[in-house]
Amino acid sequence: MLYAIISEDVKNSLERRLAARPDHLARLEKLRDEGRLVMAGPHPAIDSEDPGEAGFSGSLVVAEFDSLPDAQAWADADPYIIAGAYARVTVKPFKKVLP
């Protein structure tokens, strides 16, 4: 089943994000390579494709996991959590309708 992992950043998270980004991306690339990643990306803190020093306010990952506990465990191990970039992470089942 698909799950949405919705993360909200702490204030001024950019430096923490940058430090943990290689490990964060490696986990997402593994999901992609396994054919389980639907989409992933950050929410810019301002209305801009490149927010610069404004950074990001959170992230969204939609991926396939065997169960909600599996999706939650994967989310809980995110390098951005370990680095203190995320203030809160919500994991919910997701039903893709379109496209």
Side-chain angles (χ1 to χ4, degrees):
M1 177 161 191
L2 294 178
Y3 294 88
I5 301 170
I6 306 151
S7 307
E8 297 176 44
D9 281 26
V10 298
K11 293 212 182 284
N12 302 313
S13 64
L14 186 59
E15 192 172 308
R16 294 175 186 183
R17 274 179 166 265
L18 292 174
R21 189 168 191 261
D23 292 335
H24 174 80
L25 289 177
R27 295 177 80 233
L28 291 169
E29 289 165 353
K30 183 174 187 285
L31 284 179
R32 180 201 60 206
D33 294 348
E34 293 170 350
R36 298 171 43 205
L37 183 64
V38 174
M39 62 190 278
H43 300 284
I46 60 174
D47 189 13
S48 174
E49 192 71 28
D50 179 8
E53 292 195 16
F56 301 93
S57 64
S59 299
L60 171 65
V61 174
V62 178
E64 185 178 344
F65 293 92
D66 290 334
S67 67
L68 181 56
D70 287 348
Q72 186 69 60
W74 187 90
D76 289 345
D78 194 300
Y80 283 173
I81 289 178
I82 296 162
Y86 285 161
R88 178 178 25 251
V89 178
T90 303
V91 181
K92 300 179 182 185
F94 180 80
K95 182 179 177 181
K96 183 178 176 185
V97 176
L98 292 171

